């Protein structure tokens, strides 16, 4: 009888200790999966923007691409996907602007030193990921 009580108490003790460990491991796995998914989304967004520029602007020459995944504003705890593509084109700024108005609702187009820089922000699939803190 005493052996049975000891086995039951050991089983209960192991269960009590293992539940928090399992929950912590689950949290870490979810954060890592979110991290990977957010970065994959940003990379896809940047590739799509680059492809759209090359398709829509005939004389576009891509100079540089930049991707950032994380808290872009610094004022809150969420993750965004930022993509910037710098390209050269002989089109006037108003024509380039109208090309992007057809595709993107929120964007920023800058012209500096004869090059255009197109910036877009997208939503991350895991916006509450630890990367946004």
């Amino acid at each position: 009888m005493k052996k049975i009580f000891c086995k039951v108490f050991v089983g209960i003790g192991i269960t009590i200790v293992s539940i928090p460990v399992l929950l912590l491991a689950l949290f870490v796995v979810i954060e890592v999966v979110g991290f990977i998914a957010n970065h994959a989304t940003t990379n896809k967004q940047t590739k799509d923007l680059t492809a759209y520029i090359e398709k829509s602007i005939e004389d576009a020459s891509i100079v540089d691409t930049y991707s950032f995944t994380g808290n872009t504003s610094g004022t809150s705890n969420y993750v965004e996907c930022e993509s910037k593509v710098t390209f050269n084109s002989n089109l006037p700024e108003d024509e380039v602007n109208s090309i992007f108005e057809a595709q993107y609702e929120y964007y920023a187009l800058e012209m500096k030193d004869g090059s255009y820089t197109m910036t877009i922000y997208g939503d991350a699939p895991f916006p509450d990921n630890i990367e946004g803190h």
Side-chain angles (χ1 to χ4, degrees):
M1 183 83 153
K2 193 174 179 183
K3 267 185 158 178
I4 293 175
F5 282 126
C6 285
K7 286 185 179 185
V8 169
F9 285 129
V10 167
I12 291 172
I14 290 173
T15 303
I16 289 173
V17 170
S18 65
I19 288 176
V21 171
L22 289 174
L23 290 175
L24 182 63
L26 179 64
F27 174 77
V28 169
V29 167
I30 290 171
E31 290 297 321
V32 169
V33 167
F35 177 86
I36 292 168
N38 288 344
H39 281 268
T41 300
T42 303
N43 290 338
K44 182 181 181 323
Q45 175 180 286
T46 304
K47 286 179 184 176
D48 291 346
L49 175 60
T50 303
Y52 182 75
I53 290 170
E54 290 173 338
K55 181 185 87 171
S56 301
I57 303 173
E58 290 180 15
D59 68 339
S61 170
I62 305 297
V63 175
D64 190 25
T65 60
Y66 171 77
S67 299
F68 176 74
T69 307
N71 188 346
T72 58
S73 65
T75 60
S76 190
N77 294 330
Y78 59 94
V79 178
E80 287 181 320
C81 304
E82 177 185 22
S83 299
K84 287 186 180 188
V85 177
T86 303
F87 63 97
N88 293 326
S89 175
N90 293 326
L91 288 177
E93 191 170 356
D94 59 337
E95 283 186 43
V96 173
N97 198 28
S98 65
I99 289 171
F100 290 118
E101 278 181 352
Q103 178 72 17
Y104 298 102
E105 187 174 352
Y106 303 110
Y107 66 92
L109 180 65
E110 296 177 46
M111 184 171 188
K112 184 177 177 184
D113 299 330
S115 295
Y116 293 101
T117 300
M118 174 65 172
T119 305
I120 61 171
Y121 298 93
D123 295 329
F126 290 85
D128 294 328
N129 189 271
I130 193 76
E131 194 172 18
H133 296 270

